[in-house]
């Protein structure tokens, strides 16, 4: 992105003009060397935060205790952080207070991995004291300094290592791997929110199975505050699907992950709540898993050649219960899973399921051509719990296609239902 680059260079220029040192650093340098898109540019400088604030007209004091000021340029903003070290780690987490240091090399020393510890000056020259460029070329992930110590200082780095290894398809070096095993229990000091954020980037990335394999072999997540329960009953097909399904609807991937790990519908809400997922993702993922389980059960217990209409009604019932999105997501997911499944597992109704989904004409009582009020005045009865049941019944009839969605037909049918109930 030339504009982001240009405005970033302007920030470096101004800092240099005022007699400070300034470099691009971290993710943007790494991504540039890897030929990946750069999403934001971080800058390291010898200028103290108050000096940065005095140089630029528009700044936000985002993290003064970390020495970070956000500089707003025309279209882009840049995190400008004073050269610093982190010495006092508390409870295996990064400290809230830092000490400033003189030079870029000392600043790079506090960074997690060699590929993240490269600085680039305004002329494009690299400062790369730990051989990060070479490690990137070799597809290797290596800690700055002794891995055991670095993970002990800040246990989140273990999750970051797994995430980077997964997203970039990099290999951890041996020393990093053994440190992961040695320090894994320290993950319990890290907030679930931050662990989940790393897991999220891993699962939504291009090679989630690589990360999952590292997590499985290291058993790292067993040591999180909220571990993932019972991973005995692994469902390989779901896990294979995880990598193939689009990451645009995250519930597709989360549902495959959780089911792949052998989790069932009822457990997923509690688990996802413990893992600090947002309510929306929690609900859509759980609906999708419930839909899958209920539909599989239905297909298994119905003999399809004789009962195709029964299955159609079953599909509609589930689509009403779990919602349009769950059904649509299930179909998209199943298109990916089908080629991975063996004959036995294969759900062979695919074209019909899509048709049944597209044929759905309504989802809610409010979509009915007759309202609850219409029904009450037509029948001349007082409202009560019976009305809710009746409306639900009418909704099903229309959804099944047994009744047209027309006011008169619905009211007539309501009368028939109520009369038959009065008789019995
Ligand atoms: P991305 O933004 O693509 O996830 P990034 O490398 O920019 O990658 P950030 O979390 O934005 O990651 O961190 C910016 C830089 O700060 C990193 O490149 C690294 O140098 C340093 N850093 C971040 N987290 C840690 C940590 N836990 N320990 C040590 N250094 C870290
Ligand atoms: Mg970044």
């Amino acid at each position: 992105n030339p504009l982001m680059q240009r405005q970033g260079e302007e920030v470096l220029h101004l800092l240099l003009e005022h007699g400070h040192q300034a470099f691009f650093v971290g993710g943007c340098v790494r991504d540039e060397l890897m030929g990946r898109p750069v999403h934001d540019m971080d800058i390291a400088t010898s200028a103290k935060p108050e000096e940065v604030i005095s140089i630029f007209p528009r700044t936000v004091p985002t993290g003064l205790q970390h020495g970070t000021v956000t500089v707003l340029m025309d279209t882009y903003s840049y995190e400008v952080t004073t050269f610093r070290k982190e010495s006092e780690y508390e409870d295996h987490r990064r400290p809230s207070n830092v000490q400033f240091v003189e030079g870029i090399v000392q600043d790079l020393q506090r960074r997690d991995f060699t590929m993240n510890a490269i600085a680039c000056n305004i002329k494009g020259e690299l400062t790369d004291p730990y051989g990060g460029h070479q490690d990137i070329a070799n597809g290797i992930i290596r800690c700055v300094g002794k891995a055991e110590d670095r993970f002990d200082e800040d246990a989140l780095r273990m999750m970051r290592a797994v995430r980077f290894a997964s997203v970039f398809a990099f290999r951890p070096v041996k020393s990093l791997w053994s440190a992961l095993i040695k320090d894994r229990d320290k993950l319990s000091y890290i907030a679930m929110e931050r662990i989940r954020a790393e897991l999220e980037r891993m699962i939504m990335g291009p090679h989630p199975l690589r990360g999952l394999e590292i997590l499985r072999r290291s058993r790292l997540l067993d040591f999180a505050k909220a571990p993932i329960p019972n991973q005995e009953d692994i469902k390989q097909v779901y896990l294979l699907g995880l990598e193939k399904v689009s990451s645009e609807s995250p519930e597709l991937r989360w549902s495959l992950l959780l089911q792949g790990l052998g989790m069932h519908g009822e457990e997923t809400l509690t688990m996802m709540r413990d893992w600090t997922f947002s309510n929306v993702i929690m609900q859509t993922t759980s609906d999708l898993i419930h839909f899958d389980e209920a539909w599989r059960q239905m297909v298994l217990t119905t003999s399809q050649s004789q009962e195709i209409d029964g299955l159609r009604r079953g599909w509609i019932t589930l689509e009403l219960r779990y919602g349009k999105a769950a059904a649509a997501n299930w179909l998209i997911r199943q298109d990916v899973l089908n080629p991975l499944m063996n004959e036995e597992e294969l759900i062979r109704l695919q074209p019909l399921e899509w048709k049944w989904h597209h044929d759905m004409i309504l989802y809610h009582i409010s979509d009915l051509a007759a309202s609850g009020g219409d029904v009450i005045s037509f029948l001349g009865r007082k409202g009560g719990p019976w009305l809710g049941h009746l409306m639900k019944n009418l909704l099903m009839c229309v959804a099944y296609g047994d009744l047209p969605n027309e006011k008169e037909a619905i009211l007539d049918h309501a009368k028939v239902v109520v009369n038959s109930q009065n008789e019995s």
Side-chain angles (χ1 to χ4, degrees), residues 119-379:
C120 179
N121 70 9
I122 194 143
K123 293 187 232 156
E125 296 158 343
L126 301 183
T127 302
D128 179 16
Y130 304 103
H133 195 179
Q134 189 60 50
D135 284 346
I136 289 173
N138 294 337
I140 277 174
I141 171 158
R142 186 198 313 270
C143 286
V144 170
K146 221 170 150 220
E148 285 175 23
D149 300 343
R150 305 311 308 282
F151 289 165
D152 182 72
E153 289 167 357
D154 175 3
L156 183 71
R157 289 173 187 152
M158 295 189 280
M159 279 305 293
R160 284 174 61 88
V162 178
R163 187 250 291 185
F164 285 125
S166 188
V167 173
F168 299 152
F170 274 23
R171 266 173 308 115
V173 288
K174 266 219 180 83
S175 57
L176 189 150
W177 178 257
S178 48
L180 197 62
I181 305 290
K182 184 152 179 287
D183 289 323
R184 60 190 178 187
D185 56 310
K186 315 275 180 2
L187 195 68
S188 62
Y189 289 91
I190 304 297
M192 285 312 298
E193 185 106 44
R194 304 177 71 199
I195 300 177
R196 197 247 311 134
E198 294 299 332
L199 189 69
E200 192 150 18
R201 300 181 70 165
M202 184 188 115
I203 293 298
M204 297 308 142
H207 321 284
L209 294 188
R210 289 184 76 107
L212 282 177
E213 180 61 12
I214 299 176
L215 289 177
R216 189 188 64 76
R217 279 168 45 203
S218 64
R219 294 185 36 234
L220 180 59
L221 286 185
D222 289 4
F223 299 89
K225 278 198 190 88
I228 298 178
N230 63 289
Q231 296 175 41
E232 254 81 278
D233 185 20
I234 300 284
K235 296 208 175 58
Q236 208 56 43
V237 170
Y238 286 107
L239 292 182
L240 289 175
L242 177 60
E243 200 145 296
K244 298 202 158 53
V245 92
S246 155
S247 60
E248 251 153 64
S249 312
E251 56 270 44
L252 295 179
R253 289 204 167 181
W254 290 124
S255 64
L256 287 169
L257 174 69
L258 296 179
Q259 291 191 280
L261 295 177
M263 297 192 63
H264 291 286
E266 338 65 268
E267 306 163 277
T268 51
L269 272 183
T270 336
M271 198 248 127
M272 291 183 89
R273 188 165 296 122
D274 292 348
W275 272 75
T276 71
F277 280 90
S278 78
N279 284 331
V280 176
I281 290 291
M282 234 158 65
Q283 198 55 55
T284 50
T285 304
S286 156
D287 284 344
L288 176 48
I289 295 176
H290 274 109
F291 189 100
D292 183 62
E293 288 176 349
W295 179 238
R296 280 170 186 286
Q297 190 58 32
M298 226 172 243
V299 172
L300 275 179
T301 52
T302 316
S303 133
Q304 51 175 282
S305 50
Q306 296 150 7
E307 294 281 353
I308 200 74
D309 192 56
L311 279 171
R312 184 184 68 87
R313 285 164 187 270
W315 176 273
I316 293 168
T317 310
L318 294 184
E319 186 152 352
L320 288 176
R321 184 179 309 156
Y322 297 113
K324 182 180 187 172
N329 279 330
W330 187 87
L331 286 162
I332 294 168
R333 215 184 75 157
Q334 197 59 33
D335 273 349
V336 173
L337 291 182
N338 267 338
L340 303 167
M341 294 194 156
N342 58 36
E343 288 290 302
E344 224 176 312
E345 296 170 298
L346 207 62
I347 300 214
R348 263 161 292 191
L349 303 174
Q350 276 275 302
L352 286 175
E353 290 156 344
W354 274 105
K355 179 177 169 6
W356 296 336
H357 172 64
H358 289 311
D359 284 351
M360 290 289 292
I361 53 169
L362 80 183
Y363 287 92
H364 301 289
I365 287 167
S366 58
D367 301 330
L368 282 171
S371 69
D374 294 337
V375 172
I376 289 180
S377 51
F378 182 75
L379 296 180

Side-chain angles (χ1 to χ4, degrees), residues 26-27 30-31 39-40 42 94 110-112 116 150 154 156-157 160 163-164 201:
R30 175 200 69 215
D31 290 343
H39 50 85
D40 51 27
D42 295 334
R94 297 169 86 191
R110 72 168 164 96
R111 296 175 182 270
D112 47 7
N116 289 341
R150 305 311 308 282
D154 175 3
L156 183 71
R157 289 173 187 152
R160 284 174 61 88
R163 187 250 291 185
F164 285 125
R201 300 181 70 165

Side-chain angles (χ1 to χ4, degrees), residues 368-413:
L368 282 171
S371 69
D374 294 337
V375 172
I376 289 180
S377 51
F378 182 75
L379 296 180
R381 290 180 69 176
K382 273 213 309 220
W386 64 271
L387 184 62
H389 294 295
L390 178 59
M391 296 307 288
K392 187 105 190 283
N393 184 328
L394 296 172
L395 172 68
M396 305 288 255
C397 289
V398 175
Y400 292 151
D402 296 339
L403 195 62
N405 193 14
E406 291 160 11
K407 191 166 174 178
E408 223 169 293
I410 293 172
L411 293 177
D412 285 342
H413 188 72

Side-chain angles (χ1 to χ4, degrees), residues 17-199:
E17 259 173 34
H18 283 79
H20 304 292
Q21 307 168 50
F23 299 85
F24 292 118
V25 76
C28 66
V29 179
R30 175 200 69 215
D31 290 343
E32 183 72 35
L33 289 172
M34 291 173 72
R36 301 173 62 92
V38 172
H39 50 85
D40 51 27
M41 300 185 84
D42 295 334
I43 291 167
T45 181
S46 57
K48 300 290 185 300
E50 56 281 7
E51 293 173 312
V52 176
I53 290 170
S54 74
I55 292 173
F56 295 93
R58 293 195 299 150
T59 57
V60 183
T62 11
L64 285 187
Q65 76 276 30
H66 296 108
T68 302
V69 174
T70 302
V71 170
L72 308 173
M73 299 300 278
D74 283 348
T75 29
Y76 292 95
S77 59
Y78 301 82
E79 294 217 327
V80 177
T81 303
T82 308
F83 297 154
R84 61 173 212 221
K85 66 175 174 182
E86 289 161 4
S87 33
E88 310 295 316
Y89 293 87
E90 254 176 64
D91 280 349
H92 313 286
R93 283 175 293 215
R94 297 169 86 191
S96 52
N97 281 300
V98 297
Q99 286 160 276
F100 296 133
V101 295
E102 283 299 308
I104 184 68
V105 174
Q106 284 165 283
D107 179 84
L108 293 175
Q109 192 176 354
R110 72 168 164 96
R111 296 175 182 270
D112 47 7
F113 307 112
T114 58
M115 62 178 173
N116 289 341
I118 309 173
C120 179
N121 70 9
I122 194 143
K123 293 187 232 156
E125 296 158 343
L126 301 183
T127 302
D128 179 16
Y130 304 103
H133 195 179
Q134 189 60 50
D135 284 346
I136 289 173
N138 294 337
I140 277 174
I141 171 158
R142 186 198 313 270
C143 286
V144 170
K146 221 170 150 220
E148 285 175 23
D149 300 343
R150 305 311 308 282
F151 289 165
D152 182 72
E153 289 167 357
D154 175 3
L156 183 71
R157 289 173 187 152
M158 295 189 280
M159 279 305 293
R160 284 174 61 88
V162 178
R163 187 250 291 185
F164 285 125
S166 188
V167 173
F168 299 152
F170 274 23
R171 266 173 308 115
V173 288
K174 266 219 180 83
S175 57
L176 189 150
W177 178 257
S178 48
L180 197 62
I181 305 290
K182 184 152 179 287
D183 289 323
R184 60 190 178 187
D185 56 310
K186 315 275 180 2
L187 195 68
S188 62
Y189 289 91
I190 304 297
M192 285 312 298
E193 185 106 44
R194 304 177 71 199
I195 300 177
R196 197 247 311 134
E198 294 299 332
L199 189 69

